[in-house]
Amino acid sequence: MSESGGRRASWYRPMRGRDSSEEGRTATPLELLFDLSFVVAIAQLGTQLEHAVTEEHYGLGAMGFVFTFFAIWWAWMNFTWFASAYDTDDVPYRCATLVQIAGVLVLAAGVPRAFSGLDFTVPILGYAVMRTALIAQWLRAAHQARHSVRRHTALRYAGGITVAEAGWVAWLFMPDGWQLWWFLLLVIVELAVPAYAEHYSLTPWHAHHISERYGLFTIIVLGESITAATVGIQEALDGEGQARLGDLAAVVVGGLLIMFAMWWQYFSVPAHDLVRHRSQRLLSLLAWGYGHVLVFAGAAAVGPGLVVAANQALATNELDARMAAAAVGLPTALYVLCVEFLQLRPYQRTPLLRWVFPACAVLVLAAVFAPQPVLIMGIVMSLAVGVAVYGTGQTHAQEQLVAD
């Protein structure tokens, strides 16, 4: 049982690191609260992305989405891995985490400005609040591990995050022509910090806990997309669009099938065994952890895409039908491919299983040019999941027959 779930928080506990093999390690109530705070930021992000696509500001919308989603995902991921290794659940730890949640809310408040004029001042200030609290956590871990090799790892994390945070603050004062290149440089710096720190000595993170945390965040992002689509469709119905309810019904049914299939695909294998296996190779582990940014981004973008498609079906926007369909098809195909290669591929032993989801992604993109594209995408996704379930059952049956 986790410490948060098993007893009250004390005033202070030594931050020596958790047992990476402890039984029953699950997400704590504080971690769930931390995740839910990101719902606000993702909701803001989805709303602004939908507006940008509807108004055909594709370049501005893409830049705003990429910049802001990277900050959201990276802040979440850094806390998640730290908490998996050093969750003491005492008063200082809880207070530092609550400060990070406050930073998330500040970041979320700045999302509209980031999209409307690429003004990232408020998001960067919120990001700096989150990172400062995390630096304090790493310094505390280093202090507690002063006679252990983990001290060097914690200090490397603290130093690397400090350099990156200073770089983001400096980015606010850069000339416009330098900002894109400075952004790309800082992304490289951010991504390099865990590899630099963990290369010396691995932190005591927990494989089952990490896989559960990633799964929970996937559910949260999918849930936010469902909420965004529901609210958007309701607004479309309440608007002054033409009564093309048949087209809207196709979007609604197709959207539900897409969401259900996305959930089914991700949770069709036991991810903790995969994470435990990848932990033996740092680069493989980083590829799995970092690659999920595309999984999360794809899931987050499907909801706004469904809103765009619903409004187009009711003729409440002037967007071309193919562009509206692409707003759903592109993030869906991205999600399908990334889950396939990050999560499923190591478990697939037959050509049928190895090719069903890549073929699904291709067909989803092709459906953009079909009539009732969202409905067809949903049917394709559902069929792919069905084939995968059948193929997995056949493989297990053959293995059982051989074993008998």
Side-chain angles (χ1 to χ4, degrees):
M1 181 178 291
S2 67
E3 290 186 21
S4 292
R7 54 179 175 173
R8 295 180 180 178
S10 66
W11 281 103
Y12 180 82
R13 292 192 184 113
M15 188 176 276
R16 298 195 179 103
R18 298 289 293 260
D19 180 1
S20 60
S21 61
E22 68 179 278
E23 297 292 334
R25 181 74 191 280
T26 59
T28 67
L30 183 59
E31 287 175 320
L32 297 179
L33 177 63
F34 183 83
D35 286 359
L36 288 175
S37 69
F38 281 84
V39 171
V40 179
I42 294 172
Q44 288 276 12
L45 197 61
T47 300
Q48 297 303 316
L49 179 62
E50 182 257 318
H51 291 334
V53 173
T54 299
E55 296 167 5
E56 300 184 63
H57 298 157
Y58 304 124
L60 189 66
M63 289 182 65
F65 183 82
V66 170
F67 285 17
T68 312
F69 194 84
F70 174 82
I72 293 171
W73 161 74
W74 190 245
W76 175 87
M77 198 187 85
N78 274 244
F79 169 78
T80 295
W81 286 83
F82 176 86
S84 187
Y86 290 105
D87 180 7
T88 59
D89 195 38
D90 58 7
V91 171
Y93 177 86
R94 287 189 173 191
C95 290
T97 303
L98 294 176
V99 170
Q100 289 180 269
I101 292 175
V104 175
L105 300 180
V106 173
L107 188 154
V111 169
R113 287 175 176 266
F115 269 83
S116 62
L118 294 181
D119 180 2
F120 295 96
T121 304
V122 176
I124 286 178
L125 291 177
Y127 189 70
V129 170
M130 288 186 284
R131 304 300 273 170
T132 300
L134 186 60
I135 291 169
Q137 295 275 50
W138 278 117
L139 290 175
R140 182 184 170 194
H143 175 73
Q144 292 293 330
R146 54 187 177 274
H147 301 302
S148 168
V149 292
R150 290 178 184 168
R151 172 181 174 82
H152 299 284
T153 301
L155 288 175
R156 286 186 173 198
Y157 266 113
I161 295 172
T162 300
V163 170
E165 182 179 338
W168 288 115
V169 174
W171 187 81
L172 296 174
F173 303 97
M174 290 284 172
D176 292 342
W178 291 19
Q179 286 189 334
L180 176 60
W181 299 108
W182 192 251
F183 170 82
L184 296 175
L185 175 63
L186 289 176
V187 168
I188 294 173
V189 171
E190 291 273 19
L191 296 178
V193 170
Y196 167 71
E198 299 277 350
H199 180 73
Y200 188 87
S201 174
L202 291 178
T203 52
W205 53 271
H206 193 282
H208 190 281
H209 178 253
I210 282 293
S211 62
E212 183 194 42
R213 300 287 290 115
Y214 272 67
L216 289 173
F217 198 68
T218 301
I219 291 174
I220 285 175
V221 176
L222 286 174
E224 179 51 42
S225 280
I226 292 173
T227 301
T230 303
V231 173
I233 290 171
Q234 179 184 0
E235 291 177 350
L237 283 171
D238 293 341
E240 299 178 357
Q242 300 175 13
R244 295 161 54 182
L245 297 183
D247 292 340
L248 179 62
V251 173
V252 172
V253 174
L256 285 175
L257 291 176
I258 289 171
M259 290 294 181
F260 292 161
M262 291 170 73
W263 172 85
W264 200 308
Q265 182 194 11
Y266 187 91
F267 292 98
S268 60
V269 298
H272 57 274
D273 290 337
L274 176 64
V275 176
R276 187 177 294 110
H277 175 72
R278 287 179 180 267
S279 67
Q280 301 172 11
R281 296 173 295 172
L282 180 59
L283 290 179
S284 177
L285 180 65
L286 290 174
W288 181 87
Y290 289 176
H292 266 73
V293 64
L294 300 178
V295 175
F296 298 147
V302 169
L306 290 173
V307 177
V308 170
N311 280 283
Q312 197 281 329
L314 292 176
T316 57
N317 63 37
E318 299 179 358
L319 198 63
D320 177 74
R322 299 294 168 257
M323 295 305 298
V328 180
L330 288 175
T332 300
L334 175 67
Y335 177 95
V336 169
L337 286 175
C338 290
V339 173
E340 162 66 20
F341 288 102
L342 291 173
Q343 198 91 331
L344 306 185
R345 187 51 62 107
Y347 293 93
Q348 297 167 337
R349 299 189 180 96
T350 66
L352 175 66
L353 293 175
R354 296 178 72 85
W355 285 103
V356 60
F357 284 113
C360 172
V362 173
L363 292 175
V364 164
L365 292 176
V368 169
F369 303 96
Q372 304 297 355
V374 177
L375 179 59
I376 292 177
M377 292 175 196
I379 293 172
V380 168
M381 290 280 289
S382 300
L383 289 174
V385 168
V387 171
V389 170
Y390 172 79
T392 302
Q394 290 294 100
T395 301
H396 287 169
Q398 293 172 3
E399 291 175 349
Q400 186 64 40
L401 182 63
V402 170
D404 292 342

